[in-house]
Amino acid sequence: AQSVTQPDIHITVSEGASLELRCNYSYGATPYLFWYVQSPGQGLQLLLKYFSGDTLVQGIKGFEAEFKRSQSSFNLRKPSVHWSDAAEYFCAVGAVSGGGNKLTFGTGTQLKVEL
Amino acid sequence: NAGVMQNPRHLVRRRGQEARLRCSPMKGHSHVYWYRQLPEEGLKFMVYLQKENIIDESGMPKERFSAEFPKEGPSILRIQQVVRGDSAAYFCASSPSGLVADTQYFGPGTRLTVL
């Protein structure tokens, strides 16, 4: 069965600093990988996704992620963090199950941005 | 184009009562997924439905939980005889098809509190 590990529960960065959120996955085949962001009291918004092709994926809000098969990782990055980026970030792997795309999520990383 | 709608946003029930959570998918989407988020945890898949069919309910507790997605109207997640452990945020997502490549669009969630 697939699984996702986000080793950092909380991360604090200063506004303007660079950001990297870690994600490791376990999946037997070619993974379908996603990053979602959740603001307090809100639903999840897709930042970016990877299926195949270029291993560096560009997303919304200036985020990017790099798929590294050898490390089973899909880390999320942003060169310069804005205060509005404070939220919880979830990495997920998609797998076909019963005919549909079932997402398996990590436990999330809570990002705090210091002004 | 309205997004995924969920209601109610907040629901309080006493132990033993029934909870009904509603989800209206995005226009044109016929695939619905339900996920549960327990405090301090990531989202966990519960059930995947297409119109009038349950496709994958591998994540649903065996008892007290049921889901439907009728031909007309919203998808309903029903929890009978709620217990304190059912307190969580329940998210619905929809997609135009069940393909892994499809993005799942999430609603704002229903936060269930069981007293």
Side-chain angles (χ1 to χ4, degrees), chain A:
Chain A
Q2 64 272 17
S3 66
V4 176
T5 301
Q6 294 181 250
D8 303 306
I9 299 174
H10 299 277
I11 281 185
T12 300
V13 299
S14 299
E15 188 175 38
S18 63
L19 171 70
E20 182 169 29
L21 302 182
R22 295 184 290 166
C23 172
N24 293 96
Y25 67 90
S26 173
Y27 186 59
T30 300
Y32 298 84
L33 297 163
F34 306 80
W35 274 100
Y36 282 87
V37 60
Q38 183 182 31
S39 298
Q42 301 299 312
L44 278 72
Q45 181 183 22
L46 180 71
L47 288 175
L48 48 79
K49 59 186 179 183
Y50 170 79
F51 297 138
S52 63
D54 193 345
T55 57
L56 186 62
V57 182
Q58 301 298 320
I60 63 171
K61 304 184 180 185
F63 285 92
E64 65 178 27
E66 186 170 13
F67 169 62
K68 292 185 178 180
R69 184 185 298 275
S70 61
Q71 298 177 20
S72 298
S73 69
F74 188 56
N75 294 348
L76 182 71
R77 301 194 295 247
K78 187 170 185 177
S80 177
V81 170
H82 188 263
W83 64 266
S84 61
D85 293 325
E88 188 152 25
Y89 291 79
F90 292 96
C91 181
V93 61
V96 176
S97 174
N101 176 16
K102 178 172 68 176
L103 295 178
T104 298
F105 286 86
T107 51
T109 297
Q110 186 72 47
L111 174 64
K112 180 180 176 182
V113 179
E114 290 182 333
L115 300 176

Side-chain angles (χ1 to χ4, degrees), chain B residues 81-97:
Chain B
Q81 300 176 318
V82 296
V83 301
R84 290 219 172 106
D86 296 333
S87 294
Y90 292 82
F91 290 94
C92 164
S94 74
S95 67
S97 77

Side-chain angles (χ1 to χ4, degrees), chain A residues 32 34 36 38 40-44 46 49 51 88 90 94-108, chain B residues 9 33 35 37 40-45 48 50 55-56 58 91 98-109 111:
Chain A
Y32 298 84
F34 306 80
Y36 282 87
Q38 183 182 31
Q42 301 299 312
L44 278 72
L46 180 71
K49 59 186 179 183
F51 297 138
E88 188 152 25
F90 292 96
V96 176
S97 174
N101 176 16
K102 178 172 68 176
L103 295 178
T104 298
F105 286 86
T107 51
Chain B
R9 294 290 304 275
Y33 301 81
Y35 294 85
Q37 184 179 31
E40 308 299 323
E41 293 187 17
L43 282 74
K44 297 202 184 301
F45 169 80
Y48 161 50
Q50 295 179 30
I55 306 301
D56 181 356
S58 58
F91 290 94
L99 297 175
V100 176
D102 260 359
T103 295
Q104 291 185 25
Y105 295 87
F106 283 79
R111 279 138 185 95

